[in-house]
Amino acid sequence: NSILLVTSKYHSFRSSLIFNKAVGSLDRDIKIISSPSKYDSFNEQEWWQEREDMKRVFLEYCKLVNYYCWEQFS
């Protein structure tokens, strides 16, 4: 009745959106529990201090825009 979704910290929100959409078409209720990995080194408080983290955040926002503009309707 539930799915534990373990992902990287920086894209756990978008992943939960995608999984909720995917299971929404099923004929039963499934709860998605998003849990960012504790082994992920991404620091959500200081992401702007590391070049790699800045790239991750920028790309994740691009992917969120894509989801909200196109993917959620397909």
Side-chain angles (χ1 to χ4, degrees):
N1 294 333
S2 63
I3 295 175
L4 178 60
L5 178 61
V6 181
T7 64
S8 298
K9 292 176 186 175
Y10 62 93
H11 70 217
S12 61
F13 175 71
R14 184 174 56 90
S15 297
S16 66
L17 289 174
I18 292 169
F19 270 78
N20 276 310
K21 180 184 181 289
V23 301
S25 63
L26 300 176
D27 61 347
R28 58 187 265 188
D29 290 334
I30 299 177
K31 182 177 181 180
I32 304 295
I33 303 164
S34 181
S35 178
S37 173
K38 66 180 180 179
Y39 302 108
D40 186 358
S41 63
F42 180 76
N43 184 343
E44 63 274 3
Q45 300 297 318
E46 300 175 354
W47 59 267
W48 60 89
Q49 296 178 3
E50 297 289 330
R51 181 175 173 81
E52 189 63 31
D53 288 344
M54 287 190 292
K55 286 174 25 180
R56 288 177 180 158
V57 168
F58 175 76
L59 289 173
E60 193 59 29
Y61 273 107
C62 291
K63 292 173 185 179
L64 272 171
V65 167
N66 179 63
Y67 175 80
Y68 282 121
C69 291
W70 292 283
E71 286 185 34
Q72 71 174 335
F73 302 113
S74 60

